[in-house]
């Protein structure tokens, strides 16, 4: 028997799937909710009231890049990066600053080496939203590598306004251990304030490891 209601529901959910598959975050409120649902503000000790969107795209060996939306699952082997960043929003200013951290290392249940610093870079210039880094990153991007048997980790990207102190900071450089990083402590120390945008991906161990 033909069931028109079912048909419409089915089309609607396919359309929703297509929107999700197409990529990036489109709603600041949805990002804020996804962070809150994932307990990230509490686990990172940050106040997360975003006023902009941060689009993070991971280039792929073949095919188009994967653009994150908050909470997307990405296969580990598709996360080699390095990512590119776009910011969308009012008043982004000049030279913002991006940090990527993993609060779930080695496992979300016992994150004894968290946070792991996966990227730390500043001096980005805003070219119509594309953030172009004009200097080497402080910590270049490290590919996620959650250990075999772990639940997925929350790899979290945060965008801050760059402070004057950031340019002269000596707390972190390319040889500083990436373990036991603390983004809220770092942000406070170099006067970054609260993040203005962010997103995150969930990455599980590669099934062949
Ligand atoms: C991921 O990459 C590694 C190293 O190239 C490879 O051995 C492994 O089979 C890949 N895993 C999947 C699921 O393709
Ligand atoms: C990095 O920081 C450490 C500790 O402050 C310092 O000893 C080292 O010389 C710095 N390395 C570079 C490349 O600046
Ligand atoms: C990070 O630093 C904040 C203080 O800024 C502290 O409250 C928090 O417990 C620290 N987090 C970790 C994981 O050490």
């Amino acid at each position: 028997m033909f069931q028109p209601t079912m048909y419409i529901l089915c089309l609607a959910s396919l359309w929703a799937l297509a929107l999700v598959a197409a990529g990036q975050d489109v709603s600041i409120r949805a990002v804020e909710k996804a962070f809150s649902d994932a307990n990230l503000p509490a686990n990172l000790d940050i106040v997360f009231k975003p006023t902009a969107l941060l689009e993070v795209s991971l280039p792929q060996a073949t095919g188009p890049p994967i653009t994150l939306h908050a909470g997307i699952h990405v296969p580990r082997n598709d996360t080699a990066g390095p990512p590119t960043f776009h910011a969308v929003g009012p008043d982004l200013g000049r030279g913002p600053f991006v940090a990527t951290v993993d609060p779930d290392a080695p496992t979300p249940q016992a994150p004894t080496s968290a946070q792991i610093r996966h990227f730390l870079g500043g001096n980005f210039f805003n070219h119509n939203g594309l953030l172009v880094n004009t200097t080497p990153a402080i910590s270049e991007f490290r590919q996620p590598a959650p250990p075999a048997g772990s639940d997925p980790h929350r790899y979290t990207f945060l965008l801050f306004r760059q402070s004057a102190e950031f340019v002269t900071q000596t707390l972190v450089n390319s040889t500083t251990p990436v373990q036991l990083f603390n983004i809220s402590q770092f942000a406070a120390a170099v006067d970054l304030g609260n993040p203005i945008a962010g997103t995150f991906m969930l990455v599980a161990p590669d099934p062949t490891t």
Side-chain angles (χ1 to χ4, degrees), residues 129-155:
L130 178 66
L131 300 182
V132 180
N133 195 339
T134 55
T135 54
I138 299 169
S139 283
E140 293 295 350
F141 181 72
R142 293 171 65 86
Q143 181 172 14
S150 172
D151 284 343
H153 293 198
R154 298 165 292 173
Y155 295 88

Side-chain angles (χ1 to χ4, degrees), residues 20-47:
V20 168
Q24 76 271 19
D25 292 309
V26 291
S27 153
I28 291 174
R29 293 288 79 84
V31 173
E32 189 177 339
K33 182 175 186 306
F35 268 64
S36 162
D37 289 349
N39 221 22
L40 278 167
N43 292 165
L44 294 173
D45 303 290
I46 54 168
V47 174

Side-chain angles (χ1 to χ4, degrees), residues 170 173-176:
T170 53
N173 62 37
S174 58
T175 61
T176 313

Side-chain angles (χ1 to χ4, degrees), residues 43-45 114-115 181-185 188:
N43 292 165
L44 294 173
D45 303 290
Q115 299 148 26
F181 183 62
N182 184 326
I183 187 59
S184 71
Q185 213 170 58

Side-chain angles (χ1 to χ4, degrees), residues 62-123:
T62 54
I66 294 175
T67 300
L68 307 190
H69 57 83
I72 186 177
H73 282 264
V74 180
R76 191 267 164 184
N77 277 11
D78 294 347
T79 61
T84 58
F85 303 111
H86 271 83
V88 182
D91 188 23
L92 292 166
R94 226 170 101 111
F97 167 87
V98 181
T100 309
V101 294
D102 172 9
D104 296 326
T107 67
Q109 290 79 6
T112 49
S113 50
Q115 299 148 26
I116 304 283
R117 192 171 63 251
H118 279 262
F119 180 80
L120 195 55
N123 300 331

